[in-house]
Amino acid sequence: DAGVIQSPRHEVTEMGQEVTLRCKPISGHNSLFWYRQTMMRGLELLIYFNNNVPIDDSGMPEDRFSAKMPNASFSTLKIQPSEPRDSAVYFCASSPDRGPYEQYFGPGTRLTVT
Amino acid sequence: DAKTTQPTSMDCAEGRAANLPCNHSTISGNEYVYWYRQIHSQGPQYIIHGLKNNETNEMASLIITEDRKSSTLILPHATLRDTAVYYCIVTISSGSARQLTFGSGTQLTVLP
């Protein structure tokens, strides 16, 4: 099992540009989560999907952020336009719909917006 | 409004047991205690979870007090690779409400 796959691992972009982060969850997992981690705010849940449907997006900071899950094996997190304060490590995690509901995290994407 | 309280940092000698405490005095009857850890620059990793009974797996043991207001994660023989931030999380574990709210955690440093 390859685990949760995220791409790219590192992204450097200029303010105002569109950024797309990608995630492939573990096969068979029904839930997918996007987190953001910064030194100031720690690890924050942005949005999570269950069976490809967004369940809670209350953690999405503003309209510049959007997430999609077109099928069970792929999700994207898009930032448009990006700002320097979006610089962070973005983690994707997936979880099965049966106990113990543990979340498996990907390696993260380190985003730097200059 | 934090649901859990953990010490900021702890040290442990290699080969000794590491005991990481967590206070969750406002825990509800249907809430579980989960422990995750994050090794530097990696994604968090699930360790163990429990409701009210003590639990043990290949990684650690979880001791929950009878009133469920606190718990202790025990790494029986800490190694240098156990150096990480350890998060104690209280959450409902049913339906779609399985969100994890990470606090600041405890930085455990295992010393040679």
Side-chain angles (χ1 to χ4, degrees), chain B residues 48-51 53-57 60-64:
Chain B
I48 198 168
H49 83 291
L51 182 61
N53 296 322
N54 297 338
E55 302 287 345
T56 296
N57 62 20
S61 295
L62 174 60
I63 308 298
I64 302 175

Side-chain angles (χ1 to χ4, degrees), chain A residues 28-33 35 45 47-51 55-56 93-105, chain B residues 30 32 34 36 49 89-102:
Chain A
H29 283 189
N30 301 89
S31 293
L32 183 140
F33 306 79
Y35 292 86
L45 176 66
I47 185 171
Y48 87 95
F49 296 83
N50 186 256
N51 293 323
I55 302 300
D56 186 348
S94 69
S95 170
D97 262 0
R98 61 187 185 279
Y101 304 105
E102 73 271 37
Q103 293 184 21
Y104 295 80
F105 284 74
Chain B
N30 61 348
Y32 287 71
Y34 278 75
Y36 280 74
H49 83 291
I89 301 165
V90 167
T91 187
I92 297 172
S93 184
S94 62
S96 62
R98 298 187 306 278
Q99 300 183 42
L100 301 178
T101 301
F102 287 82

Side-chain angles (χ1 to χ4, degrees), chain A residues 3-5 17-18 20-21 37 42-44 48-50 53 55-57 59 63 65 73 75 81-82 86 94 109 111:
Chain A
V4 175
I5 298 172
Q17 296 298 305
E18 177 180 295
T20 299
L21 310 181
Q37 186 170 35
L43 197 58
E44 305 172 280
Y48 87 95
F49 296 83
N50 186 256
V53 176
I55 302 300
D56 186 348
D57 65 354
D63 292 345
F65 286 69
S73 59
S75 177
S82 58
D86 302 330
S94 69
T109 295
L111 173 66

Side-chain angles (χ1 to χ4, degrees), chain B residues 11-58:
Chain B
D11 291 342
C12 175
E14 187 177 21
R16 303 297 294 269
N19 297 282
L20 292 93
C22 179
N23 287 323
H24 31 80
S25 59
T26 61
I27 192 170
S28 301
N30 61 348
E31 289 183 310
Y32 287 71
V33 180
Y34 278 75
W35 283 82
Y36 280 74
R37 73 179 182 183
Q38 186 174 23
I39 297 170
H40 182 62
S41 298
Q42 298 181 21
Q45 175 190 24
Y46 167 82
I47 301 173
I48 198 168
H49 83 291
L51 182 61
K52 54 183 178 180
N53 296 322
N54 297 338
E55 302 287 345
T56 296
N57 62 20
E58 65 278 3

